[in-house]
Amino acid sequence: MLSNPIEILQACQRRIESHASYNVERAAWYDAKQRVKSLDISIPRDIDARVETALGWPALVVDALEERLNINGFATATANREVEATLGRVWRDNDLDIEYSQAHLEALIHGVAFLCAQPGGDGDPAPTITVESPATMTGIWDPVRRELSAAAAFVYDDEAWKYVAATVWDRETCWRLIHDNGWHVAEAYRHGLGRVPVRRLVNRARAGRRWGGSEITPSIIAATRSTVRALTRVEVASEFFSAPELIALGLSREDFGGNDFSTGYTRMMAAMMLVPDTDEPDYQRPDIKQLPAASPTPIVELIRMYSQIVAGEAALPPAYLGFETANPSSADQIRAIEARHVKRAERKQAVFGKAWIQILGDGLELAGYSPGFTDGVTINWADAATPTRAATTDAIVKQVQAGVLPPTSPVTYEQLGYSPATIDRLVADARLNEAAQQAPQVMMSPIDAGDASATTAQTVSSPTGDSDPRATHGRTTSRGGAIDPS
């Protein structure tokens, strides 16, 4: 195990550089900036260089999945409001309500993203939770403990084209280094967690591939590359549709003025070809015909085939790729079409949710909270499916009527899809309404209560049937005085 910060940094730097080409390529496909080379068969090279064709299918594959990974807050099995409020504060202070989607995108594009926890300094949130890209951060995996034994995050200067600073962790210490004619330790502190306060968001992990893989798979890249070429052919062919080819029988170059096109017959875009008659007896009128243009339908069908390949690979509904026009007639049909995609998103929620809880626990422990503060905490994920609001409301109402869900419980409001802020307001309003309904029952005046007690005492009968005031002996009146037994 490496313990020297320089050794850890160098090992992590080698790992980042070995995966740099993979990360750059996947980012280029996501940004639709990857150049697709022509086969140099049907389209001349000089024409192909002028046509810029881009296709956003890789980004669509990633974004459609990330859009189903929405975090609404936190929940505890015992409804511990203190823990939930503390986690919510840390979440908001670090702007994770915005940046959590960036972490998910990095993991879906590159296969892994990193979450780092630090105690925080002057002006920083306490604790400080940051999201890091695998392009500038990595770690050393411990297969026995199934966690990182060390990690390093680099600061890269785009103008100088070099690393200028870095942060290195092991299980007990954190070092901050600067690069000035070599790496030097500028600051160090002992965090003492016994583990590295860095967690991984891993996508598509396998037993033999612990660092995961991208959602932009080789088959999606191949289908996208072929589709880009097909779109380039459509772009070139459209020029011929707008200006169809003509053939003139009985004319030669000389009839067009030779190389001087200012005389003779002319043909240009948006102009009419004029062929005048003549009185010469041997003149034969030329036969000018239009050559039929090829239909783009075969190319469109080819693109449709590639879209089906991408849809099958990414578990996407066909309509996401723009070729399915049939509208599902019911919510059940929508759910059936999206079933595989929803299940894939739910698997991501289970994996990503554990990493989020772990890094929040690391950060709170660094900030002075007791170990195990986040035990029993779960991420409150939004429903990954696409249910209609009417169907969801109907299902929740039936559960409330059956007594499964309390009508004003935060859980009920969460199931209805309300935001945490709205849930707090609804719960507060429900408590106010409940207090207002109970108020008339507890607002009886003391005088009214005393009169009622006195009336009850006077109606106690003696054995002879007459009213016996002695029946009140030893009792206390509503005014607090004891009745004289004499």
Side-chain angles (χ1 to χ4, degrees):
M1 181 179 67
L2 301 177
S3 59
N4 187 305
I6 301 298
E7 293 179 355
I8 295 174
L9 183 142
Q10 291 174 345
C12 291
Q13 183 175 350
R14 287 193 298 268
R15 181 174 178 82
I16 288 177
E17 292 173 352
S18 66
H19 290 78
S21 59
Y22 177 90
N23 291 327
V24 170
E25 181 187 16
R26 290 309 187 274
W29 280 111
Y30 177 81
D31 295 329
K33 294 181 178 180
Q34 183 73 11
R35 179 67 179 173
V36 177
K37 297 181 179 179
S38 174
L39 299 178
D40 293 337
I41 298 175
S42 59
I43 301 176
R45 184 174 301 177
D46 59 336
I47 295 179
D48 179 66
R50 303 176 190 175
V51 180
E52 296 182 2
T53 306
L55 186 62
W57 281 356
L60 189 151
V61 169
V62 172
D63 291 344
L65 190 55
E66 190 277 329
E67 289 164 4
R68 296 184 185 273
L69 305 176
N70 295 323
I71 297 177
N72 287 340
F74 308 92
T76 56
T78 58
N80 191 324
R81 301 304 181 195
E82 178 186 359
V83 173
E84 294 175 5
T86 301
L87 291 173
R89 175 189 61 80
V90 174
W91 193 260
R92 292 187 299 272
D93 289 348
N94 288 275
D95 291 333
L96 294 178
D97 49 348
I98 299 173
E99 293 189 2
Y100 80 85
S101 63
Q102 299 177 16
H104 294 167
L105 280 176
E106 288 293 315
L108 296 175
I109 294 171
H110 302 293
V112 66
F114 295 92
L115 309 175
C116 307
Q118 299 187 61
D122 295 338
D124 297 330
T128 299
I129 310 294
T130 58
V131 174
E132 302 293 338
S133 168
T136 56
M137 183 173 187
T138 189
I140 300 172
W141 180 251
D142 185 345
V144 178
R145 296 190 181 184
R146 297 181 182 178
E147 62 181 22
L148 295 174
S149 62
F154 294 85
V155 178
Y156 188 78
D157 188 341
D158 293 329
E159 296 182 357
W161 288 44
K162 65 177 183 179
Y163 297 115
V164 295
T167 303
V168 177
W169 294 267
D170 68 3
R171 290 193 172 102
E172 296 294 334
T173 310
C174 175
W175 297 273
R176 306 187 194 281
L177 297 91
I178 59 173
H179 190 277
D180 184 12
N181 295 324
W183 288 104
H184 305 283
V185 176
E187 180 185 0
Y189 69 89
R190 186 178 183 276
H191 58 75
L193 292 180
R195 61 185 181 274
V196 179
V198 175
R199 301 293 176 170
R200 305 178 309 154
L201 289 175
V202 185
N203 181 59
R204 299 171 68 95
R206 300 201 312 262
R209 191 173 64 182
R210 295 292 186 180
W211 291 89
S214 173
E215 289 295 318
I216 307 175
T217 61
S219 60
I220 290 177
I221 291 176
T224 303
R225 184 182 288 113
S226 298
T227 306
V228 168
R229 294 194 185 104
L231 289 172
T232 303
R233 292 195 292 271
V234 172
E235 181 73 16
V236 174
S238 65
E239 297 293 330
F240 295 97
F241 298 153
S242 59
E245 288 291 317
L246 299 177
I247 183 171
L249 303 179
L251 294 177
S252 63
R253 177 178 292 273
E254 286 74 16
D255 294 315
F256 289 90
N259 293 326
D260 182 8
F261 292 97
S262 61
T263 60
Y265 303 134
T266 60
R267 173 71 170 101
M268 65 181 63
M269 194 77 80
M272 183 179 295
M273 178 183 289
L274 301 178
V275 183
D277 285 333
T278 180
D279 295 335
E280 297 182 5
D282 297 333
Y283 175 77
Q284 183 177 1
R285 179 179 295 175
D287 186 8
I288 300 176
K289 297 180 179 180
Q290 176 177 319
L291 297 178
S295 172
T297 301
I299 303 179
V300 173
E301 292 300 319
L302 183 64
I303 296 175
R304 184 192 300 272
M305 180 193 72
Y306 289 133
S307 73
Q308 293 172 349
I309 293 174
V310 172
E313 175 72 17
L316 286 172
Y320 280 35
L321 297 171
F323 277 96
E324 187 68 26
T325 57
N327 294 323
S329 58
S330 67
D332 291 336
Q333 288 185 349
I334 294 175
R335 284 192 289 269
I337 293 173
E338 297 179 342
R340 280 191 63 218
H341 200 245
V342 171
K343 179 59 66 176
R344 186 169 293 189
E346 290 173 347
R347 295 284 179 87
K348 311 296 182 189
Q349 290 177 349
V351 176
F352 292 176
K354 183 178 181 179
W356 281 115
I357 295 300
Q358 288 174 335
I359 198 62
L360 288 169
D362 294 342
L364 288 171
E365 192 170 341
L366 287 173
Y369 287 79
S370 61
F373 185 79
T374 56
D375 289 351
V377 176
T378 58
I379 295 290
N380 181 19
W381 294 96
D383 189 358
T386 316
T388 62
R389 184 171 292 274
T392 301
T393 303
D394 181 65
I396 298 301
V397 168
K398 290 179 179 178
Q399 294 180 56
V400 171
Q401 292 174 347
V404 177
L405 290 174
T408 59
S409 169
V411 177
T412 304
Y413 296 134
E414 288 173 1
Q415 296 295 319
L416 289 171
Y418 291 110
S419 65
T422 303
I423 291 174
D424 292 341
R425 294 169 59 190
L426 289 172
V427 171
D429 290 344
R431 291 174 179 172
L432 289 175
N433 291 335
E434 183 179 358
Q437 292 174 2
Q438 294 177 353
Q441 302 177 13
V442 297
M443 292 185 65
M444 181 181 293
S445 68
I447 296 178
D448 294 338
D451 293 343
S453 300
T455 302
T456 303
Q458 292 174 0
T459 58
V460 178
S461 300
S462 66
T464 61
D466 298 331
S467 175
D468 186 0
R470 292 176 298 176
T472 62
H473 286 184
R475 295 187 182 181
T476 303
T477 65
S478 62
R479 294 171 176 83
I483 297 177
D484 187 0
S486 61

